[in-house]
Amino acid sequence: MEAEAELEGTGPDGAVVADDELAGLKRDDELWQEDGNIILVAGGTAFKVYRGLLLDHSAVFEDMFSFPQPETSPSALSFTSPPCPVVHLQDSPAHLKHVLLTLMPRRKEVR
């Protein structure tokens, strides 16, 4: 996974703001946590996950998040509640999903 990422949709004051480009994103059904606190976007697919878990289990994310992040404004990203930052990555959605499932495995359905 590429370590280089940039925070998109920031206003002149550094706050995250709504962005028309974000409205067209496809939410990943398996890795969209309603109470997640960061959205990772790869190839038009959005993954809403937990920043703390990424920090705990990945040196790449730890390095990426060590840079100052803009604060989220109240009007940020109207399609999320509560609003949270969006990070665009250069990885493919399939690759990012594989990495995220490795870091945050899902419970298998018990029958």
Side-chain angles (χ1 to χ4, degrees):
M1 184 162 83
E2 296 179 19
E4 184 178 328
E6 67 181 274
L7 195 61
E8 298 278 299
T10 57
D13 61 350
V16 178
V17 296
D19 185 347
D20 290 339
E21 174 191 355
L22 299 176
L25 294 176
K26 174 189 174 288
R27 292 181 183 184
D28 184 85
D29 293 333
E30 191 173 4
L31 289 167
W32 184 270
Q33 305 299 318
E34 289 301 326
D35 61 342
N37 55 7
I38 192 159
I39 297 173
L40 303 177
V41 177
T45 301
F47 304 87
K48 188 173 182 186
V49 296
Y50 306 103
R51 183 179 183 270
L53 288 174
L54 297 175
L55 289 171
D56 287 347
H57 299 290
S58 171
V60 172
F61 285 110
E62 184 178 8
D63 288 345
M64 183 174 67
F65 295 141
S66 69
F67 297 103
Q69 303 292 314
E71 292 183 30
T72 304
S73 72
S75 64
L77 306 176
S78 57
F79 70 94
T80 68
S81 179
C84 59
V86 176
V87 177
H88 288 261
L89 301 167
Q90 298 301 313
D91 302 280
S92 73
H95 184 233
L96 180 59
K97 185 171 186 168
H98 177 76
V99 170
L100 293 174
L101 286 172
T102 301
L103 297 175
M104 297 178 270
R106 309 290 296 170
R107 287 189 297 187
K108 292 185 178 183
E109 193 175 307
V110 178
R111 294 182 186 213

